[in-house]
Amino acid sequence: MLFRSALSALKRLLFPAICPVCGKSLIEAESFLCIECTISAPFTNMWRQRDNALEQRFWGQISIERAAAFMWFIDGSQWRELIHSFKYHDHWYYAENIGYWLATEFSRSDFFEGIELIIPVPLHWRRKLSRGYNQTEHIAAGISRHTSIPYSFSTVKRRVNNPPQVHTSYVNRWGNSSDIFEVIKPKELRGRHILLVDDVCTTGSTLISLAKTITKACDGDVKISVATVAASRHIAKI
Ligand SMILES: [Zn+2]
């Protein structure tokens, strides 16, 4: 035991772990982020607020139970860089850590009550192949690890390979026809309360489209909640 902790201390000395937000070396008690960043993150606190800005985004579009983003997505912020690093630069393990952290905080409220299955927003197979992973699956896995709610990566697929920066009018065009996504196994969703998971919500159009597709495939016999790592501050003004 003593040998193992000495080895761990030596490893930290030779290869210091770095906080991906501020770049500071982590101490032994810090496993992913430094304590200062953990405390000062731009939390939305939406998981404690009914009728929050993200839930309002769905009003008049599709019926949902709860919706919450963990943080605000702020241009120029180091948190934005962290999200980009797990989204585009192979740091998928940050996505799982953030998912676990999100679940830890959301669990301090009643947000997860009644949720039976987690479904990450799917990537088109071509994009997943070129990126090597789907970051939302890792966020979902992190949430599942904390909550013990199971996840499914194979119930829904993306039929349309959207451009990375999705233009609202483009999504609306597809979203209105609910053709971006396809439910492969509707029986697995019918009668259940599902949590849709995404990384960043900028306009909400992708999540609305996915929620519409699932609701239609289940003939309305489904409950849907939404959790995202971040949301644009503009979401309240759309
Ligand atoms: Zn830090």
Side-chain angles (χ1 to χ4, degrees), residues 18-26 30 32-38 40 79:
I18 301 289
C19 171
V21 176
C22 69
K24 203 186 86 176
S25 294
L26 299 180
E30 301 167 335
F32 162 47
L33 298 167
C34 75
I35 288 165
E36 286 89 342
C37 287
T38 308
S40 62
W79 291 96

Side-chain angles (χ1 to χ4, degrees), residues 170-207:
Y170 180 90
V171 174
N172 280 339
R173 186 157 59 84
W174 285 98
N176 290 338
S177 58
S178 297
D179 274 348
I180 296 177
F181 301 101
E182 181 184 346
V183 177
I184 311 291
K185 301 169 187 167
K187 276 186 188 167
E188 290 187 10
L189 306 182
R190 205 178 287 263
R192 304 186 83 183
H193 185 171
I194 296 157
L195 178 68
L196 302 181
V197 169
D198 206 357
D199 46 18
V200 182
C201 181
T202 35
T203 66
S205 302
T206 304
L207 283 160

Side-chain angles (χ1 to χ4, degrees), residues 143-233:
I143 295 173
S144 176
R145 188 157 57 86
H146 186 272
T147 59
S148 301
I149 301 169
Y151 54 75
S152 171
F153 297 164
S154 58
T155 317
V156 181
K157 77 169 184 180
R158 187 187 283 256
R159 297 177 64 229
V160 180
N161 195 8
N162 286 347
Q165 292 301 319
V166 180
H167 195 273
T168 312
S169 62
Y170 180 90
V171 174
N172 280 339
R173 186 157 59 84
W174 285 98
N176 290 338
S177 58
S178 297
D179 274 348
I180 296 177
F181 301 101
E182 181 184 346
V183 177
I184 311 291
K185 301 169 187 167
K187 276 186 188 167
E188 290 187 10
L189 306 182
R190 205 178 287 263
R192 304 186 83 183
H193 185 171
I194 296 157
L195 178 68
L196 302 181
V197 169
D198 206 357
D199 46 18
V200 182
C201 181
T202 35
T203 66
S205 302
T206 304
L207 283 160
I208 289 168
S209 177
L210 179 56
K212 280 183 176 175
T213 301
I214 290 173
T215 304
K216 193 174 165 192
C218 296
D219 299 319
D221 184 18
V222 66
K223 288 181 180 173
I224 295 175
S225 287
V226 168
T228 70
V229 168
S232 162
R233 281 191 187 274

